[in-house]
Amino acid sequence: KAGVTQTPRYLIKTRGQQVTLSCSPISGHRSVSWYQQTPGQGLQFLFEYFSETQRNKGNFPGRFSGRQFSNSRSEMNVSTLELGDSALYLCASNEVPSPYEQYFGPGTRLTVT
Amino acid sequence: KQEVTQIPAALSVPEGENLVLNCSFTDSAIYNLQWFRQDPGKGLTSLLLIQSSQREQTSGRLNASLDKSSGRSTLYIAASQPGDSATYLCAVGGMDSSYKLIFGSGTRLLVRP
């Protein structure tokens, strides 16, 4: 099976712009979670989706949003970008919405200038 | 609130040495614990998953143990190789409804030839 894929892999945006990142889970996996990784804060949970429903959301401002489509692919959107949003955004998938083994994608490196 | 700590933050060892990485967590009510490897700028690779009812898991030269009562897990790497150089992260899955992983800050390992 193909692994979790994320597009794009690298992105450079300007403050104030918005960005959309995409994640395709492993075939058959219906749960997708998003994490933000920064040198200062480490890995932090953003949100989790299962069957097109957001099940949980981390402690991030409303500028961070996401959605999941019927084919389990997920997108996350960040509006009004700030310099502090520069990070590696990681997507993980697993078969069910429970803390079973999670499989991570390669990430999208977002740089905000 | 669950907190995960990893000690040491960095470790440098000569090739061939056996080593232990430590992970501690404050709330013993966990569903499972997962060890990951991360190469610079890359995503996470799952190494071992230990369910809360298990005491240890082994994969090749890796052995992970879990002691829920003391809130500790260790990752043992036997006969280390330069290719083991990476950051190792542990993450706990909670038993509440959030199903998110709480990550430690990682141990950066360098195996010198």
Side-chain angles (χ1 to χ4, degrees), chain B residues 41-106:
Chain B
K42 302 293 178 64
L44 307 182
T45 301
S46 178
L47 297 173
L48 289 164
L49 171 71
I50 310 177
Q51 302 291 355
S52 62
S53 58
Q54 298 174 319
R55 295 299 300 267
E56 66 177 337
Q57 283 286 339
T58 298
S59 176
R61 295 182 294 108
L62 306 179
N63 175 278
S65 67
L66 174 64
D67 184 342
K68 270 182 40 177
S69 60
S70 66
R72 300 174 73 170
S73 176
T74 61
L75 178 67
Y76 174 83
I77 303 177
S80 59
Q81 304 170 357
D84 295 329
S85 298
T87 296
Y88 291 80
L89 295 143
C90 73
V92 300
M95 295 190 75
D96 58 16
S97 62
S98 68
Y99 301 131
K100 63 186 178 186
L101 291 177
I102 306 296
F103 282 85
S105 54

Side-chain angles (χ1 to χ4, degrees), chain A residues 20-42:
Chain A
T20 299
L21 312 181
S22 180
C23 171
S24 292
I26 292 172
S27 178
H29 286 192
R30 298 165 62 194
S31 173
V32 173
S33 299
W34 289 88
Y35 292 82
Q36 181 197 63
Q37 186 177 32
T38 60
Q41 299 297 319

Side-chain angles (χ1 to χ4, degrees), chain A residues 9-10 33 35 37 43-45 48 55-58 88 90 97-107 109, chain B residues 31-32 34 36 38 41-49 51 89 93-94 97-105:
Chain A
R9 294 292 312 279
Y10 303 91
S33 299
Y35 292 82
Q37 186 177 32
L43 270 153
Q44 294 184 288
F45 172 79
E48 180 198 9
R55 292 181 55 85
N56 279 293
K57 182 173 167 61
L88 181 66
L90 293 162
S98 61
Y100 293 128
E101 187 167 12
Q102 296 203 17
Y103 299 87
F104 281 78
R109 171 73 63 184
Chain B
Y31 195 92
N32 59 23
Q34 200 166 347
F36 294 91
Q38 185 175 33
K42 302 293 178 64
L44 307 182
T45 301
S46 178
L47 297 173
L48 289 164
L49 171 71
Q51 302 291 355
L89 295 143
S97 62
S98 68
Y99 301 131
K100 63 186 178 186
L101 291 177
I102 306 296
F103 282 85
S105 54

